[in-house]
Amino acid sequence: MNLLTVGSVAFDAIETPYGKTDKIVGGAGTYICFSASFFVKEQGIISVVGEDFPLATLQEMKDKGVNLEGLQIIEGGKTFFWSGKYHNDMNSRDTLATELNVLGTFDPIVPESYQNIDYLLLGNLSPEVQRTVIERLAVRPKLIAMDTMNFWMDIALEELLKTIQLVDVIIINDEEARQLSGTYSLVKAAAIIQAMGPKIVIIKKGEHGALLFHGENIFYAPALPLADVFDPTGAGDTFAGGFMGYIASTDDYSFENMKRAIIAGSALASFCVEKFGTDRLKEITKAELNKRIDSFVELAHFQMKEI
Ligand code: AMP
């Protein structure tokens, strides 16, 4: 096992122009694990749920090679709940409710079997919890990546900056990059964020793809133009899970390999948005994924004639 994720395992209620769901399974950690499972046979997760969380989902995660030793089930506790409503453009959303529940008092215990992992992905949750996991690992992983969101910038900026200082890669969306850096230009924002700690900054731009700032180098990956986006929830986590799953399975975090990892993450995210929740992610095959990766290569490939 060389990939460990920390992230919420949750219930979500989602409203998009295509429809509305009651409580369904979501959570950053859930999307990440399902996504990374396309590349790594075994992975670990540190998270917490209440007694109300469906055991069937936990079994599905196990079946995909997720070791659940680090997932705490709190007796009598309630699982984290998030609810959001998307605007018509599907790129922006309003958070309607964030009920931390068992996540509010979460002490992330690192099981002995998770020590010595090479790749750590700090999915979106409290920056204090993210940092505690780094501190509890006896040996620093080869690469630490983190995701975060405006919620933590609004309520825990100081804690967030302390955690950002410790990581190698930060994965955020354009709006969050602007908020964190206090600047509009994403090129300037990336430089400001790099100065905060992470030398690698990945900025997701929803349907407009993603930018990778790797030291001095920049790479742009498109998003696949899709006719219908049903539910963008979890697309960012799916992207991050695919990205880190690919890096962990190839054990290579060079700039060239990160480009491939970004395409892998983007391809998985393009599936995620086709159905509500984690449903689509759970059903796709390796062949479908490979076909979609080919579409990305084709989309961005051209030969220039001399002028
Ligand atoms: P994304 O659409 O990639 O930004 O991720 C959405 C997922 O993040 C949902 O499934 C939520 O359960 C989870 N989520 C939303 N807000 C938070 C939060 N404050 N802490 C942890 N997880 C969250």
Side-chain angles (χ1 to χ4, degrees), residues 171-174 186 201-213 218-224 239 243 258-259 261-263 265-266 269 296:
I171 305 171
I172 47 179
N173 71 29
D174 43 1
L186 293 179
V201 176
I202 298 174
I203 302 180
K204 299 165 291 174
K205 289 157 58 68
E207 63 174 328
H208 305 297
L211 284 161
L212 163 66
F213 297 87
I218 304 179
F219 172 67
Y220 169 71
L224 200 65
F239 172 89
F243 172 81
M258 277 202 181
K259 293 182 189 176
I262 285 200
I263 297 298
S266 303
F296 272 86

Side-chain angles (χ1 to χ4, degrees), residues 92-128:
S92 52
R93 70 184 177 201
D94 294 323
T95 289
L96 303 177
T98 300
E99 294 172 16
L100 291 175
N101 299 328
V102 289
L103 212 52
T105 50
F106 178 43
D107 180 25
I109 292 164
V110 180
E112 201 42 47
S113 63
Y114 288 8
Q115 292 291 350
N116 300 312
I117 50 106
D118 291 328
Y119 295 93
L120 174 63
L121 176 50
L122 304 170
N124 175 30
L125 45 58
S126 132
E128 224 177 322

Side-chain angles (χ1 to χ4, degrees), residues 89 91-92 147-150 153 171-187 189-190 193 201-211 213 220:
D89 68 1
N91 263 344
S92 52
D147 184 7
T148 190
M149 73 187 294
N150 48 0
M153 293 175 203
I171 305 171
I172 47 179
N173 71 29
D174 43 1
E175 218 180 289
E176 291 154 355
R178 290 185 173 119
Q179 181 171 347
L180 185 61
S181 63
T183 191
Y184 191 80
S185 150
L186 293 179
V187 175
I193 297 167
V201 176
I202 298 174
I203 302 180
K204 299 165 291 174
K205 289 157 58 68
E207 63 174 328
H208 305 297
L211 284 161
F213 297 87
Y220 169 71

Side-chain angles (χ1 to χ4, degrees), residues 22-47:
D22 283 331
K23 272 190 178 181
I24 58 169
V25 166
T30 320
Y31 282 102
I32 288 171
C33 287
F34 280 129
S35 180
S37 72
F38 283 91
F39 303 108
V40 291
K41 284 202 180 74
E42 262 189 292
Q43 56 180 314
I45 181 161
I46 294 183
S47 192

